Amino acid sequence: MSAAPPVARTPRIVVELRVAGGAPDLVELTVAPRREIVRVRAADVSAVPRACAAARAEAVARTEAAARTEGAAHAEAAARGPGVSILVELAVLLAAGTGAARQRLAELERAGRWIPPGLRYLGTPAGLAGLITDLRYVAGVDGVLLRPISITDVAGPLAIGTVPALEQLGVRIAPGAVRRLRPAAAPRRTVPAPRKEQPCPTPP
């Protein structure tokens, strides 16, 4: 089997890590221009091109409107383009196979876990890398915004499975990104040292 050709341009891959009760933490997984993010939500892969085209057209219109009202600086920006990253939202659950991922999803749904809406990927870490690079060739797509359905089920496989597969495809991973993906290690419990028994004083 021949090796897959490298991607022509690194897609922007952002991972949304949600902490209970806090704002989402966006981890930049790849080395790509950090422009304003425009999220695109699609029901399935076939709807992605149309949704991205609409989002880009809206961004262009907004930039051109700013150029008309705000002057020369914005006119120059309009000439360069909207200056945004069109990222497709992708809810992700990783496992050894599609069947295992679907089973885990069913468990989470029965437990009342909130599932991000829109496009989903349920499968292997390597398969996710392939889907991301496939989406990169869809007109108007700059990358993906990964939304783990369960961070404990996704962070590890993403770091040790998807990232190496992306690198083999020629995708440039940002320094330190993998470290931020790994779940925080449980705090180590310190065991108190045993007390030394003091010898009883000998009565005089």
Side-chain angles (χ1 to χ4, degrees), residues 60 62-82:
V60 168
R62 189 168 61 244
T63 303
E64 291 176 347
R68 286 193 297 270
T69 58
E70 311 251 350
H74 286 273
E76 290 178 7
R80 291 194 300 269

Side-chain angles (χ1 to χ4, degrees), residues 17-181:
L17 302 181
R18 283 189 171 271
V19 180
D25 181 18
L26 299 181
V27 176
E28 294 278 352
L29 191 59
T30 51
V31 178
R34 298 194 177 189
R35 301 172 176 140
E36 176 190 351
I37 292 175
V38 175
R39 296 170 176 243
V40 171
R41 187 173 296 170
D44 52 47
V45 173
S46 65
V48 169
R50 184 171 61 256
C52 287
R56 191 169 294 280
E58 182 178 344
V60 168
R62 189 168 61 244
T63 303
E64 291 176 347
R68 286 193 297 270
T69 58
E70 311 251 350
H74 286 273
E76 290 178 7
R80 291 194 300 269
V84 297
S85 291
I86 306 294
L87 302 185
V88 180
E89 290 187 355
L90 185 61
V92 176
L93 192 60
L94 301 177
T98 303
R102 291 185 184 280
Q103 183 177 355
R104 177 61 177 148
L105 177 64
E107 292 172 359
L108 293 170
E109 289 177 327
R110 285 196 296 271
R113 173 68 63 87
W114 178 79
I115 310 298
L119 193 62
R120 293 180 184 175
Y121 174 81
L122 309 174
T124 66
L128 175 60
L131 175 60
I132 290 171
T133 52
D134 286 346
L135 285 172
R136 182 67 189 85
Y137 291 104
V138 175
V141 178
D142 295 315
V144 294
L145 179 69
L146 301 180
R147 309 183 73 189
I149 294 173
S150 165
I151 189 60
T152 56
D153 291 294
V154 170
L158 189 62
I160 65 177
T162 304
V163 166
L166 286 167
E167 289 179 317
Q168 288 183 348
L169 293 169
V171 175
R172 297 176 61 202
I173 301 299
V178 172
R179 187 171 61 251
R180 291 186 64 193
L181 286 177

